[in-house]
Amino acid sequence: MSLQAQLEQRLAEHLTPALLQVENESHQHSGPATESHFKVVIVSDQFDGLPLIKRHRAVHEALGDLMAQFHALALHTYTPLEWAQRTGAPPSPPCRGGSKRA
Amino acid sequence: MDTQQLEKETLEKIDQIVKNNPVVIFMKGTPQMPSCGFSARAAQALIDTGENFGFVNVLADPAVFEFLPKYQDWPTFPQIYIDGELVGGCDITLELAESGELKKMMAEANAKHAQQDA
């Protein structure tokens, strides 16, 4: 199974998302890896009342050992209400080559 | 020095930096010469507030690079600390900047530390 599929599976299992987008953005970045940079957008009512840092920690925990298998994670977490009030998640930044951490 | 001792000393050093600086970003590169897109964006958001902040280039200190993820059990760079607390990484910092909360948090932390130093 691709890393992208594993990320999708873990997040779907742990966070009961109303919307889940896992995008492989590795092509935007330096280095030879084909699954190095991911962008995740999750809409879940589990995030209700949680500050952003706790939402991100919940995602880190759900991904567990998979966190060590890629270089970068752009993470956008919303409650269903917050998602309804915006137009999509922001774009990820361009790479600057500092891929010291594999 | 063995690894365990290096870890202990590095975590103590990080803790001192976090406690002594009202606002500090641990990033790849420097705010002027960032070497990662996420670090660049987070640093720019801090600059855009007009408030003072400190930075640590994790690429220039291998021990900090290795052990910082253990400090607050946060696996990625950059990491932004305000008034001794981990605020989060790039995405959280940008969302706080968007809502105007980032400038407020930084201003309050800077004022509090200035008062303590006076």
Side-chain angles (χ1 to χ4, degrees):
Chain A
M1 205 192 320
S2 70
L3 185 53
Q4 181 170 354
Q6 292 179 64
L7 297 182
E8 283 167 358
Q9 193 179 37
R10 291 271 181 100
L11 294 170
E13 273 170 17
H14 287 87
L15 296 168
T16 55
L19 179 145
L20 173 63
Q21 292 171 346
V22 179
E23 200 179 328
N24 184 349
E25 296 188 320
S26 307
H27 60 280
Q28 295 176 18
H29 299 277
S30 58
T34 54
E35 291 196 301
S36 59
H37 291 67
F38 290 96
K39 174 179 177 174
V40 170
V41 180
I42 309 178
V43 179
S44 170
D45 53 17
Q46 285 190 30
F47 296 144
D48 268 338
L50 286 188
L52 290 171
I53 189 156
K54 290 198 174 164
R55 298 179 188 187
H56 283 226
R57 280 201 193 280
V59 172
H60 296 161
E61 277 167 27
L63 294 178
D65 56 316
L66 295 180
M67 283 298 292
Q69 294 189 33
F70 51 88
H71 171 75
L73 180 67
L75 190 51
H76 304 284
T77 55
Y78 307 102
T79 65
L81 182 63
E82 288 164 357
W83 182 250
Q85 288 167 347
R86 44 180 309 137
T87 47
S92 301
C95 196
R96 306 222 176 179
S99 302
K100 212 175 146 185
R101 196 173 195 208
Chain B
M1 200 190 310
D2 64 28
T3 312
Q4 239 175 354
Q5 198 189 343
L6 180 64
E7 175 175 341
K8 186 169 167 280
E9 288 184 9
T10 306
L11 290 177
E12 278 167 11
K13 182 168 91 174
I14 292 169
D15 194 50
Q16 281 305 308
I17 293 169
V18 166
K19 286 183 176 144
N20 291 338
N21 289 276
V23 183
V24 62
I25 176 172
F26 293 83
M27 64 181 289
K28 289 183 174 180
T30 68
Q32 284 70 38
M33 288 277 286
S35 34
C36 158
F38 293 90
S39 286
R41 274 214 189 153
Q44 191 58 49
L46 297 180
I47 292 170
D48 288 346
T49 64
E51 291 289 331
N52 289 332
F53 66 96
F55 73 90
V56 174
N57 177 2
V58 298
L59 298 179
D61 191 330
V64 171
F65 183 84
E66 185 176 350
F67 297 117
L68 179 62
K70 292 190 175 179
Y71 176 58
Q72 290 294 322
D73 190 26
W74 192 264
T76 53
F77 305 116
Q79 296 188 11
I80 292 85
Y81 292 82
I82 299 182
D83 196 19
E85 297 278 339
L86 175 64
V87 169
C90 170
D91 295 316
I92 292 179
T93 303
L94 292 190
E95 291 200 30
L96 292 173
E98 204 182 325
S99 68
E101 213 175 322
L102 184 66
K103 183 179 169 64
K104 195 169 146 253
M105 289 165 73
M106 289 173 71
E108 281 174 8
N110 279 328
K112 186 174 155 188
H113 279 248
Q115 212 168 24
Q116 283 167 356
D117 292 341

